[in-house]
């Protein structure tokens, strides 16, 4: 006989746990200091963003965000920053098809504010006032664009 008062079994709740965060690589260059600190015009900023993730034998995942920021004016370069900021993540109850988007969208979304702060602190410590603050990044849109590029390259390669 079935118990009609028994609650239906709930699916397991997806979990993402951050076990560690770290700076893997960092470089700050201010080649024209102190002349670069005097800004007569708004600098042109070139920003590069890359995300990567890899599984480990212990079942955990390493996720990195690589930020490359170059600022220049017509007079020359102001500063250059390269930062690889990473995290160690444990995933649980995540459907197989959602693991990649979780690693390349949700994990970088979590790490970004900490990487943004490192960039701002480096520019402030380098003498720039105000410090350079990165605008928020839409990691979901980057992921979709990256998947689209991979698919179009595969299509071209098959032609």
């Amino acid at each position: 006989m079935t118990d009609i008062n028994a609650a239906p079994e709930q699916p397991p709740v997806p979990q993402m746990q951050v076990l560690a965060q770290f700076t893997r690589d960092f470089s700050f260059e201010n080649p024209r200091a102190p002349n670069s600190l005097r800004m007569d015009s708004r600098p042109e900023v070139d920003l590069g963003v890359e995300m990567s993730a890899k599984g480990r034998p212990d079942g955990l995942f390493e996720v990195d965000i690589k930020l490359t920021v170059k600022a220049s004016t017509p007079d020359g370069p102001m500063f250059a920053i390269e930062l690889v900021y990473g995290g160690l993540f444990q995933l649980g109850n995540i459907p197989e098809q959602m693991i990649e988007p979780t690693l390349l969208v949700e994990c970088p979304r979590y790490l970004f504010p900490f990487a943004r702060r490192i960039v701002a602190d480096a520019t402030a410590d380098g003498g720039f006032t105000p410090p350079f603050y990165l605008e928020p990044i839409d990691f979901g849109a980057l992921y979709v664009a990256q998947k689209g590029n991979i698919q179009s390259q595969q299509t071209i390669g098959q032609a």
Side-chain angles (χ1 to χ4, degrees):
M1 186 160 129
T2 305
D3 183 2
I4 59 173
N5 293 327
E9 193 171 312
Q10 297 294 322
V13 177
Q15 297 174 344
M16 179 185 82
Q17 185 176 7
V18 184
L19 302 177
Q21 294 179 200
F22 46 87
T23 300
R24 190 179 299 276
D25 186 30
F26 179 68
S27 170
F28 174 79
E29 297 175 21
N30 188 357
R32 292 185 28 246
N35 295 334
S36 62
L37 304 178
R38 294 181 38 225
M39 287 189 275
D40 297 328
S41 62
R42 188 173 182 95
E44 182 177 313
V45 177
D46 181 28
L47 173 65
V49 180
E50 296 176 33
M51 297 98 56
S52 64
K54 66 179 180 180
R56 297 167 28 125
D58 58 6
L60 303 177
F61 295 91
E62 292 181 31
V63 177
D64 288 336
I65 303 173
K66 180 179 181 183
L67 300 172
T68 306
V69 184
K70 295 179 181 177
S72 61
T73 63
D75 296 330
M78 294 181 62
F79 65 82
I81 296 173
E82 185 173 298
L83 171 64
V84 179
Y85 191 76
L88 183 63
F89 292 85
Q90 182 176 19
L91 303 181
N93 302 321
I94 299 196
E96 185 71 30
Q97 73 273 16
M98 293 305 296
I99 289 177
E100 183 179 277
T102 299
L103 292 172
L104 296 177
V105 176
E106 296 307 319
C107 294
R109 188 177 289 153
Y110 179 84
L111 295 172
F112 178 75
F114 301 95
R116 179 180 192 245
R117 181 58 188 233
I118 292 170
V119 170
D121 287 349
T123 57
D125 292 345
F128 293 94
T129 305
F132 179 74
Y133 287 103
L134 291 166
E135 292 293 323
I137 296 173
D138 184 348
F139 290 101
L142 285 176
Y143 174 74
V144 168
Q146 182 182 17
K147 293 297 275 186
N149 286 341
I150 290 170
Q151 289 174 350
S152 66
Q153 289 173 0
Q154 289 173 346
T155 303
I156 292 170
Q158 294 172 356

